Amino acid sequence: RIYISIPESDGTSVSVLEAMSAGCIPVVADLPVSHEWIVTGQNGIIEKKNQNPLEEAINLDAEKCSNTNSTLIKDKATRAASVRAFMQLYIGV
């Protein structure tokens, strides 16, 4: 139910998106890309110093996180979402 990814540097990880899609609560490193996908306390945890991110993740509402992440993935990370973004960017449709 909890997915942990705490690299020192990274872009958007496909495994984070897959975990979000599968209903897991992501616990991720405090990297710029993490803020594109995660809002601490709403749909996962962005690790901070002097914090127990696992304890915080356990205390989140798993169903709410799953619903939020499912919507986020559908809106931004599916093939259809990518096609829409491409069409708008390059064709203006």
Side-chain angles (χ1 to χ4, degrees):
R1 303 276 314 160
I2 296 175
Y3 172 84
I4 302 169
S5 177
I6 307 182
E8 291 184 17
S9 65
D10 203 357
T12 298
S13 168
V14 172
S15 61
V16 169
L17 301 180
E18 290 172 341
M20 291 170 68
S21 179
C24 296
I25 297 172
V27 175
V28 297
D30 189 7
L31 301 172
V33 70
S34 298
H35 295 270
E36 180 180 347
W37 297 100
I38 306 299
V39 176
T40 293
Q42 289 186 2
N43 68 326
I45 301 294
I46 296 176
E47 179 190 37
K48 300 285 186 196
K49 292 183 182 192
N50 302 320
Q51 159 200 55
N52 183 336
L54 293 178
E55 185 176 325
E56 290 191 29
I58 289 169
N59 290 323
L60 291 177
D61 182 334
E63 185 175 343
K64 180 181 173 186
C65 287
S66 179
N67 291 339
T68 299
N69 288 335
S70 178
T71 299
L72 187 60
I73 295 298
K74 286 177 188 169
D75 289 347
K76 293 179 67 175
T78 61
R79 185 172 195 271
S82 295
V83 168
R84 281 193 306 273
F86 176 87
M87 297 293 280
Q88 185 164 10
L89 182 65
Y90 292 105
I91 301 175
V93 176

